[in-house]
């Protein structure tokens, strides 16, 4: 079993839809959880991050962490064509220098 | 406002040639990383460094060497390029400590083709 599992998609939705992106993980030591967004032919950029369990909201984006289920989610409300990108989850245990990335989910929002 | 800068942006090599990829960061970060990204494989860590003069192997280190002679620079070398090293290479950096120490900042990438 891989440490981090992420459905690669692709995922195609109409503009205005609510998008749910998810990752599962197996390492109970993970404490820091991140979502990166990567536009085509660009480097990943940090979108959201959370420490331990709970929710975090930033505009149209909400990140959720459920440590009991080893499951993290990113919700995008009122999706826009500009949200079309690959979304990568990333996580790490405390005290480690390294992140463990999911393989990414490619999202297309159609106008 | 440069952040993490990678050079070159594109390169085509012949099998057996050597080259060095340069990563420079202006955020005074202690940690630096080299990843490769291939379709269906996600980001895979090649080598990383926790400080000037120190390097460590990541998940896929074979065929690559690195050096960190200055805190702001991290070099990735291919001594004898192989077609299997065709990929997009990303450099990243992060702080050692503080509230956001786990956040890695990425460069724009280097697209390498080995023929």
């Amino acid at each position: 079993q891989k440490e981090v599992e992420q459905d690669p998609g692709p995922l195609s939705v109409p503009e205005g839809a609510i998008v749910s992106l998810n990752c599962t993980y197996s390492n109970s030591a993970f404490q820091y959880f991140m979502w990166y967004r990567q536009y085509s032919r660009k480097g990943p950029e940090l979108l959201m991050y959370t420490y331990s369990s709970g929710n975090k909201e930033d505009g149209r984006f909400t990140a959720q962490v459920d440590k009991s289920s080893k499951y993290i989610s990113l919700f995008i409300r009122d999706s826009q064509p500009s949200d079309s990108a690959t979304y990568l989850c990333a996580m790490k245990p405390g005290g480690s220098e390294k992140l463990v990335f999911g393989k990414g989910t490619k999202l297309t929002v159609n106008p | 406002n440069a952040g993490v800068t990678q050079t070159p942006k594109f390169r085509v090599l012949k099998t057996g040639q050597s080259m060095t990829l340069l990563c420079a960061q202006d955020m005074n970060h202690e940690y630096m990383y080299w990843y490769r990204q291939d379709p269906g494989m996600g980001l895979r860590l090649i080598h990383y460094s926790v400080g000037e003069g120190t390097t460590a192997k990541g998940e896929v280190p074979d065929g690559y060497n690195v050096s960190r002679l200055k805190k702001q620079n991290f070099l990735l070398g291919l001594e004898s390029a192989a077609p299997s090293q065709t990929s997009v290479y990303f450099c990243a950096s992060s702080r050692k400590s503080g509230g956001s120490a786990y956040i890695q900042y990425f460069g724009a990438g280097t697209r390498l083709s080995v023929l």
Side-chain angles (χ1 to χ4, degrees):
Chain A
Q1 181 186 9
K2 295 189 182 298
E3 272 194 300
V4 178
E5 300 273 8
Q6 184 176 10
D7 187 336
L11 186 60
S12 182
V13 302
E15 183 175 354
I18 297 175
V19 176
S20 173
L21 304 168
N22 312 294
C23 288
T24 59
Y25 63 93
S26 58
N27 188 346
S28 58
F30 287 144
Q31 294 183 359
Y32 300 90
F33 303 91
M34 285 140 274
W35 286 95
Y36 282 82
R37 179 175 61 195
Q38 185 177 19
Y39 290 116
S40 180
R41 304 180 78 85
K42 302 289 186 184
E45 57 177 347
L46 182 72
L47 187 61
M48 295 191 73
Y49 64 93
T50 54
Y51 172 70
S52 194
S53 285
N55 295 356
K56 186 172 185 178
E57 187 172 324
D58 184 3
R60 296 185 294 111
F61 298 89
T62 300
Q64 289 185 350
V65 175
D66 182 348
K67 292 190 76 177
S68 62
S69 300
K70 296 189 178 66
Y71 188 87
I72 70 170
S73 301
L74 177 70
F75 297 97
I76 307 174
R77 291 183 298 281
D78 187 25
S79 56
Q80 302 295 310
S82 59
D83 295 329
S84 298
T86 296
Y87 291 80
L88 301 100
C89 62
M91 48 198 81
K92 84 172 200 72
S96 172
E97 309 91 3
K98 296 180 285 184
L99 292 179
V100 181
F101 286 88
K103 292 186 177 180
T105 300
K106 185 173 183 179
L107 171 67
T108 301
V109 181
N110 301 299
Chain B
N1 246 15
V4 179
T5 303
Q6 292 183 233
T7 54
K9 290 184 170 50
F10 306 93
R11 185 74 185 267
V12 178
L13 290 179
K14 294 181 179 179
T15 298
Q17 287 185 318
S18 63
M19 77 163 294
T20 300
L21 283 68
L22 172 64
C23 176
Q25 52 94 4
D26 62 1
M27 298 174 281
N28 202 34
H29 284 170
E30 291 83 3
Y31 296 165
M32 296 187 74
Y33 310 82
W34 275 108
Y35 294 90
R36 60 178 290 173
Q37 188 176 41
D38 304 288
M41 302 297 290
L43 282 166
R44 291 185 291 172
L45 184 64
I46 303 171
H47 287 281
Y48 65 102
S49 168
V50 298
E52 186 178 320
T54 69
T55 62
K57 294 180 180 180
E59 181 185 356
V60 288
D62 294 342
Y64 305 94
N65 55 76
V66 287
S67 63
R68 184 122 180 249
L69 300 179
K70 294 183 179 180
K71 184 178 183 178
Q72 64 269 32
N73 295 339
F74 196 27
L75 279 62
L76 177 72
L78 287 73
E79 290 187 348
S80 179
S84 61
Q85 294 177 305
T86 294
S87 187
V88 182
Y89 292 86
F90 288 102
C91 176
S93 70
S94 69
R95 292 169 54 191
K96 175 181 179 180
S97 59
S100 60
Y102 48 89
I103 297 173
Q104 292 186 12
Y105 298 86
F106 284 81
T110 295
R111 293 183 174 274
L112 175 66
S113 291
V114 183
L115 306 178

